[in-house]
Amino acid sequence: MATYGSAVRRGLPRVPGGDPWPPAGAAPVPNGDGPVAESSPRVVTPEPAPAAPVVAQVTQSAGSDAAAPRVVTPEASVGAQLTGRAVRRGLPRVPGGEPWPPASAAAVAGAPVPERAGALGLAGARSATDSRDETARVDVEPEAADVSVPAAAAPVAQPAVSAAAPVDGAKPLRRGLPRVAGGEPWPPAGFAPAATAAAVTDAATTPAAQAPADVATEAPASVVPAAAAPAAAAAPAAPAVPATATGVPLSKPLPFTRTVWAGAGAGARTRPAPQAEPKRIGPFTRLQWAGAVIVGGAGLLYAAGMAVVAVRWLLSTTWGVDFLAAYPGEYHLPEGAPVGLPAWLGWQHFFNVFLMVLIIRTGLQVRTEKRPSVFWSPRNNNRRKISLNLWFHQSLDILWLVNGVVFVVLLFVTGQWMRIVPTSWEVFPNAVSAALQYVSLDWPTENGWVNYNSLQQLAYFATVFLAAPLAAITGVRMSGVWPKNAAGLNKAYPVEWARAVHFPVMLYFVAFIAVHVFLVFATGALRNLNHMYAAQGSTDPNAYADNWTGFWFFVASLVVIAAAWVAARPLVLAPIARLFGKVSGR
């Protein structure tokens, strides 16, 4: 008498409302005491290719009261002939479609189908099919049912997909990992034609009316007539075309919304090119310079406002009132000092402004020039070449020095030097008093026709007798006039010192011109312009307030300076430079 091992653990049903899976007693386990009873053997029937569908015929023994079994068509098994196991099918690729891959896509050549699979025994007559099942099972009541396969379907053989020859428009299938351990990559080697074969789409649906009368099924629509097998076997086999349940080939775009995109390669999305770094002017970009100017200007305005408040409070104190009374901002000139400004002083002032503007412009050009386009060389030394801008800068320096020498000589000849050279130590406290009055915005009353205040006198003295000589000495050291072979002289006065001083002196001139012009217009523009450009004035500080003569002379001087600024280019300078040397492009 046969004995049985432990009972199989049963889980959830495979179909809604069904019994737990697997059925009771479906897979007894031997325990070593005897053979396993053949109460419920499970037989997996290899399925032929879709081109030759077969019908599983079920006969029922007489006197059996078991229910009629449900027979599933061969399409439920994919690739069983390849390895003995069915291919696992996943979710459908289209809404409402069949599980993927389709049953018709994995047909391969296999062994002949046996004529009789044998008796199957089960406790109850039932069958369960699901999209996630690996095989199609036929379950029959023990000793009450017979399952057999017609012999007409046995000799059908399908060519292997891997051996299929490519057709027009076909593309090789992309193969991935094997679906079974030790198997070949999936899907089998083959090609995907541009159009789906009609046989594949026709085999998907078959009328249920063609089913044999001796077969009782629960789903007649899935039964395929066996009479179609010989005709399909006689037709030449075509390579399998992987397609969806609706007949759409894999080589065409999917019929639903795209959810994945191509990776790296042609057509793939790429990152946008990084934006070019903004151009820098010195250490900052233009936007950064604008921000620095705004922030710096706001800071300076705030500091200026605080300084005005503090100085006004200081001058309102007893100490401030006494200080202004003792030092009003100017002291009396020596006896014999001239009154008024002569015409030659106005002309010298114009020449000085004209040359200084062009000297500052050409100096900045020489400092920032990297590759000159035009060169100048002296006639007696062709090997010494300098840029045309440097030649123009040095030529202007020479004219400025000549004008300065004439100016200083006339100052001492006419006695005008007493107006800009301090003659008393009172100049320093008066200069402090004038500075405090400027900061408090209660500017001192002055009349340049008679006398400058002490702060103006110190500024003019520093510009004429300190800054101008420094600019001349450092400029000569860096020019070609300086002897290059004088080792002792070069060691005593290195060129690095000259370069370190020359540029700051130029910045001083720029600042002086800006402040000087601002004060000229802020302290009485018409009166001051009449003094300097028209040589008109009076001891009365309110005289000539409505006279525009000096103003129009000033406008004419600006026109001349602007014309010289525009004309200072190689096209105009080259003919002039040829009069003193040789001009070349290299």
Side-chain angles (χ1 to χ4, degrees), residues 450-478:
V450 178
N451 188 16
Y452 298 127
N453 64 55
S454 296
L455 190 60
Q456 285 179 296
Q457 190 179 49
L458 290 177
Y460 294 152
F461 175 82
T463 302
V464 175
F465 297 100
L466 295 178
L470 277 177
I473 294 173
T474 54
V476 170
R477 177 63 182 89
M478 295 186 297

Side-chain angles (χ1 to χ4, degrees), residues 339-363:
V339 177
L341 300 175
W344 66 264
L345 192 61
W347 283 102
Q348 287 288 325
H349 184 269
F350 164 73
F351 288 142
N352 186 73
V353 174
F354 176 84
L355 295 174
M356 282 299 302
V357 170
L358 295 179
I359 287 173
I360 292 173
R361 183 207 179 199
T362 55

Side-chain angles (χ1 to χ4, degrees), residues 26-55:
V29 180
N31 57 6
D33 296 336
V36 178
E38 299 179 358
S39 58
S40 57
R42 183 176 66 178
V43 177
V44 178
T45 305
E47 300 296 332
V54 296
V55 178

Side-chain angles (χ1 to χ4, degrees), residues 344 406-417:
W344 66 264
V406 173
F407 174 75
V408 171
V409 170
L410 292 177
L411 277 179
F412 284 96
V413 169
T414 60
Q416 291 289 335
W417 63 270

Side-chain angles (χ1 to χ4, degrees), residues 244-265:
T244 62
T246 58
V248 179
L250 297 179
S251 60
K252 294 183 178 180
L254 298 176
F256 47 83
T257 304
R258 186 177 185 181
T259 57
V260 289
W261 288 265

Side-chain angles (χ1 to χ4, degrees), residues 52 58 74 96-97 161 166 191 194 211 226 293 301 306-307 343 366 407 414 419 426 466 506 527 538 553 571:
V58 180
V161 177
F191 295 86
V293 169
L301 288 177
M306 296 301 295
V366 171
F407 174 75
T414 60
R419 296 171 58 91
E426 293 182 2
L466 295 178
M506 187 271 292
R527 183 180 69 248
S538 174
F553 275 113
L571 183 63

Side-chain angles (χ1 to χ4, degrees), residues 85-108:
R85 296 178 59 185
V87 175
R88 182 176 179 181
R89 303 171 69 192
L91 297 175
R93 300 300 294 272
V94 294
E98 292 186 359
W100 184 266
S104 60
V108 296

